[in-house]
């Protein structure tokens, strides 16, 4: 019992630096942000406020007029729906594509390491640079319009909101694939070969083996990717800046912020403040 008590104190001692840093840079800002969201007329310079209120939430949801007399519509009309579209389109599609690519890579014996490196390159490439490449590819005189014989179809600058969502979602999916492939590939290489041998004995097809053997055994990795991807997609900001250069399809000069996400809305209003 004494040994267990000593080990317990040692564990807390070893964890103390990490717990202190988490408390300072994660827990405190989170609690403070929640506190400020309910504070009325909060002044960042002095930390003073005039009581607590729900008016802050009413303003961003367009239920109460702002101090300038107008109604805030960008959050409800653009930020929320855009974020939800990005989340529920890119996350499942990217996980399914990553699973298919990981299974294909795992079955390749020659040049497997080389191909893994090639697929992982987008993850370590600068996100803004990739966004610029996508903006060139989807330019009205770009590769996409040329391949599909679309004359002067606008995808990026000055595009309609739903047209602009296509290159944005493709960019997010493509940029997020490498990490997912790496995680799933490591999970595949840890699966016992006896499961596949048993499936062969039962004359199971490749598709049945994939969905009845591989996917269930990869469920911890898939769950991890689903959770982290949902969190990441709700924080999406860089992709919009990389492709459009601003909150709308007209870049930084956009009057209508039709490509704004929730995090972009936060940054935009902090900058305005």
């Amino acid at each position: 019992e004494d040994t267990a008590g000593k080990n317990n104190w040692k564990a807390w001692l070893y964890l103390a630096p990490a717990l202190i840093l988490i408390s300072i840079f994660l827990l405190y800002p989170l609690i403070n942000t929640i506190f400020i969201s309910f504070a009325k007329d909060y002044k960042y310079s002095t930390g003073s406020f005039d009581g607590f209120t729900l008016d802050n939430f009413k303003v961003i949801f367009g239920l109460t007029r702002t101090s300038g007399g107008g109604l805030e519509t960008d959050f409800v009309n653009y930020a929320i729906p855009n974020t939800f579209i990005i989340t529920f389109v890119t996350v499942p599609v990217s996980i399914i594509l990553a699973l298919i690519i990981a299974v294909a890579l795992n079955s390749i014996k020659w040049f497997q390491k080389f191909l893994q490196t090639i697929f992982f390159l987008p993850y370590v490439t600068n996100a803004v640079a990739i966004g610029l490449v996508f903006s060139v590819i989807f330019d009205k005189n770009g590769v996409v319009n040329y391949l599909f014989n679309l004359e002067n179809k606008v995808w990026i600058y000055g595009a309609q909101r739903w047209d602009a969502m296509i290159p944005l979602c493709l960019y997010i999916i493509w940029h997020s694939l490498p990490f997912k492939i790496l995680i799933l590939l490591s999970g595949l290489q840890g699966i016992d070969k006896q499961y596949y041998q048993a499936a062969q004995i039962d004359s199971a097809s490749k598709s049945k083996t994939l969905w009845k053997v591989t996917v269930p055994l990869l469920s911890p990795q898939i769950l991890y990717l689903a959770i982290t991807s949902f969190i990441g997609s709700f924080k999406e900001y860089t992709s919009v800046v990389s492709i459009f250069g601003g909150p709308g399809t007209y870049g930084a000069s956009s009057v209508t912020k039709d490509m704004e996400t929730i995090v972009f809305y936060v940054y935009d209003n902090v900058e305005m403040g």
Side-chain angles (χ1 to χ4, degrees), residues 182-204:
L182 182 68
I183 296 297
L184 293 173
L185 194 58
S186 64
L188 282 169
Q189 292 172 350
I191 295 176
D192 195 331
K193 304 301 180 185
Q194 292 181 355
Y195 292 107
Y196 295 108
Q197 292 170 358
Q200 288 179 347
I201 293 171
D202 291 338
S203 300

Side-chain angles (χ1 to χ4, degrees), residues 103-207:
V103 170
L105 277 176
N106 193 51
S107 62
I108 295 173
K109 303 304 178 185
W110 296 95
F111 302 110
Q112 187 183 75
K113 299 297 181 183
F114 174 75
L115 291 173
Q116 288 179 26
T117 304
I118 295 297
F119 275 102
F120 195 71
L121 281 177
Y123 190 74
V124 295
T125 306
N126 185 276
V128 176
I130 298 174
L132 291 174
V133 172
F134 266 76
S135 64
V136 172
I137 292 173
F138 282 92
D139 186 75
K140 65 179 182 180
N141 297 317
V143 177
V144 172
N145 283 359
Y146 175 77
L147 291 176
F148 293 97
N149 197 24
L150 300 171
E151 294 185 2
N152 297 322
K153 175 67 176 177
V154 180
W155 298 101
I156 305 291
Y157 191 79
Q160 296 293 321
R161 177 186 178 191
W162 303 113
D163 291 336
M165 272 292 174
I166 295 174
L168 178 61
C169 289
L170 288 175
Y171 166 86
I172 295 170
I173 291 169
W174 188 79
H175 192 253
S176 66
L177 275 178
F179 179 73
K180 294 181 175 67
I181 293 171
L182 182 68
I183 296 297
L184 293 173
L185 194 58
S186 64
L188 282 169
Q189 292 172 350
I191 295 176
D192 195 331
K193 304 301 180 185
Q194 292 181 355
Y195 292 107
Y196 295 108
Q197 292 170 358
Q200 288 179 347
I201 293 171
D202 291 338
S203 300
S205 63
K206 290 184 178 180
S207 60

Side-chain angles (χ1 to χ4, degrees), residues 36-86:
I36 292 173
S37 68
F38 290 97
K40 183 178 181 181
D41 296 330
Y42 183 85
K43 297 178 178 60
Y44 288 92
S45 57
T46 60
S48 60
F49 59 96
D50 300 328
F52 295 98
T53 181
L54 292 175
D55 289 345
N56 299 330
F57 295 96
K58 292 179 180 179
V59 168
I60 65 171
F61 282 103
L63 301 176
T64 302
R65 294 191 178 275
T66 63
S67 57
L71 283 176
E72 175 59 66
T73 58
D74 291 340
F75 187 74
V76 174
N77 291 342
Y78 302 120
I80 292 178
N82 287 349
T83 303
F84 273 80
I85 290 169
I86 290 170

